[in-house]
Amino acid sequence: MKILRSLATILALGTSTYAHAGNVLIVLSDSDRLDLKDGKVFKTGFYLNELMQPVKALLDAGHDITFATPKGMAPSVDRTSIDKMYFGGDEAAMKDSEAQLSELGLVSSDRSPVISLARVEQIGYDNFDAVYVPGGHAPMQDLLVSSELGKLLSYFHEKGKTTALACHGPIALLSTLPDAQEFVAKFETAGTAKEQTDWIYAGYKFTVFSNREEEMAKGLLGGGEMKFYPQDALTKAGGEFSQANAPFDGHVVRDRELITGQNPASALAVAHELLNRLK
C-alpha cells in the first residue's frame, strides 16, 4: 500500500486528499499503433481529452490515481487528438490538458509513473475502487486480448467494482472472453466470429464508438481500413449496443458496474458518472 500511496502523492499535483478519497486505476495501451488491413499501420495512442478530462476531474475531487499498461510501458498520445475541437473549441482547456500531461510525465520513456498490470495484481485489486479505460485506437491493438487485463476486469465484475470505458476503450471488455485471442483473430480475418454464450458481460447494455462514426472518421486512417469495428465485435460477444441519436454527440450508458461512453464528446459525462460512483 505504501507504493500505491507514494505514487498517488506524486500524481496528486498538490491537490488535497479528501477523507474518503478513492483509488482509481487508469489502464492504457502499451501500443502506439493499430495494424490495419493490407499491412497498413495507423500511428495512434490514447485521445488527449478522453484521458485528461477524467484525470483532472478525479484529481480535483481529491481521488488518487494509478496509471497502468499491460507491460508497464509508457503510453502514447494520438497526435490527431491534440485539437481544440475535442475540448468544445476551448483552446485554453486543450493546452491545460497538454501541460498537465507533461507534468505527469506519463508519455515520457524515462519518467513515466506507469506500472504493469502484473504489478497491479501484486498490489492487490482490492486496493482500487474503480478502473477507467480511455479510448483512442490503441486499445484495439492489445487491450482486447490482454490476459492480465481480462483477469483484472473479471475480478472487478465479480466484486461489482465500477468499470468505466470510453470511445474505443470498451473493446477492452473482450479480454474477459474465455478465448479472446481466437475470437479476435476470427474477426480480423473473417469480419465476424461465432456468437459467445459465456461472456461475463453478456446482456449488458453498452456503447462504444459506433459503426457510422467509424465510417465518417475513415479519413483519419490515411487511406487505411480497420480490420473490424468494435460495435460489431462487442455485439457479437453478447452485449446490447446503443448510440446517440446523432454521430459524435455525447452518449453514456450505465448498466450495473459498467459505465461506457460512445466517443470523445462523452468523456466528461463518463467522468461525472465515475465520480458519482466514488461518492
Side-chain angles (χ1 to χ4, degrees), residues 184-261:
V184 170
K186 288 288 187 181
F187 254 96
E188 288 182 341
T189 57
T192 189
K194 184 179 179 181
E195 288 187 12
Q196 302 296 291
T197 58
D198 50 2
W199 189 35
I200 62 174
Y201 298 108
Y204 271 65
K205 296 178 176 63
F206 78 96
T207 190
V208 70
F209 202 69
S210 68
N211 286 359
R212 58 180 177 173
E213 288 169 328
E214 296 283 12
E215 289 293 321
M216 293 171 71
K218 268 185 174 180
L220 289 175
L221 301 180
E225 187 176 350
M226 292 170 64
K227 294 179 179 178
F228 65 91
Y229 291 157
Q231 176 187 327
D232 293 331
L234 289 165
T235 301
K236 199 70 168 180
E240 297 183 10
F241 174 75
S242 76
Q243 60 186 318
N245 291 329
F248 306 108
D249 279 357
H251 181 58
V252 174
V253 175
R254 298 158 292 277
D255 191 348
R256 286 156 278 188
E257 82 276 13
L258 199 63
I259 302 168
T260 50

Side-chain angles (χ1 to χ4, degrees), residues 9-232:
T9 300
I10 293 171
L11 296 180
L13 302 178
T15 59
S16 60
T17 302
Y18 290 20
H20 300 288
N23 297 319
V24 180
L25 178 67
I26 297 183
V27 178
L28 299 148
S29 169
D30 283 310
S31 184
D32 64 353
R33 58 184 279 163
L34 175 64
D35 294 333
L36 305 173
K37 290 182 178 180
D38 301 323
K40 294 180 180 179
V41 174
F42 174 54
K43 293 291 288 183
T44 185
F46 61 84
Y47 257 45
L48 180 66
N49 83 296
E50 291 172 21
L51 175 65
M52 297 309 300
Q53 286 177 329
V55 163
K56 183 179 187 303
L58 288 164
L59 293 178
D60 286 351
H63 297 295
D64 298 330
I65 295 177
T66 299
F67 295 101
T69 61
K71 298 176 184 177
M73 297 169 57
S76 300
V77 60
D78 188 316
R79 305 303 301 180
T80 65
S81 73
I82 305 176
D83 191 311
K84 66 181 181 181
M85 73 175 177
Y86 297 114
F87 294 82
D90 188 339
E91 186 167 1
M94 180 199 74
K95 290 186 178 299
D96 285 345
S97 285
E98 278 192 284
Q100 190 171 28
L101 178 64
S102 177
E103 191 170 355
L104 288 170
L106 192 62
V107 298
S108 171
S109 59
D110 58 353
R111 65 185 185 93
S112 179
V114 168
I115 61 176
S116 68
L117 288 178
R119 182 70 186 117
V120 170
E121 185 177 6
Q122 288 177 339
I123 291 170
Y125 298 152
D126 279 333
N127 286 311
F128 301 94
D129 300 293
V131 62
Y132 172 59
V133 182
H137 286 80
M140 296 199 64
Q141 183 73 12
D142 60 350
L143 295 190
L144 73 175
V145 293
S146 167
S147 58
E148 296 92 347
L149 182 56
K151 187 175 183 180
L152 182 151
L153 292 177
S154 294
Y155 185 89
F156 269 55
H157 168 75
E158 179 184 342
K159 300 296 183 180
K161 285 175 170 281
T162 298
T163 302
L165 314 94
C167 201
H168 287 83
I171 199 67
L173 298 173
L174 293 182
S175 66
T176 64
L177 284 169
D179 194 340
Q181 293 273 1
E182 180 182 0
F183 181 81
V184 170
K186 288 288 187 181
F187 254 96
E188 288 182 341
T189 57
T192 189
K194 184 179 179 181
E195 288 187 12
Q196 302 296 291
T197 58
D198 50 2
W199 189 35
I200 62 174
Y201 298 108
Y204 271 65
K205 296 178 176 63
F206 78 96
T207 190
V208 70
F209 202 69
S210 68
N211 286 359
R212 58 180 177 173
E213 288 169 328
E214 296 283 12
E215 289 293 321
M216 293 171 71
K218 268 185 174 180
L220 289 175
L221 301 180
E225 187 176 350
M226 292 170 64
K227 294 179 179 178
F228 65 91
Y229 291 157
Q231 176 187 327
D232 293 331

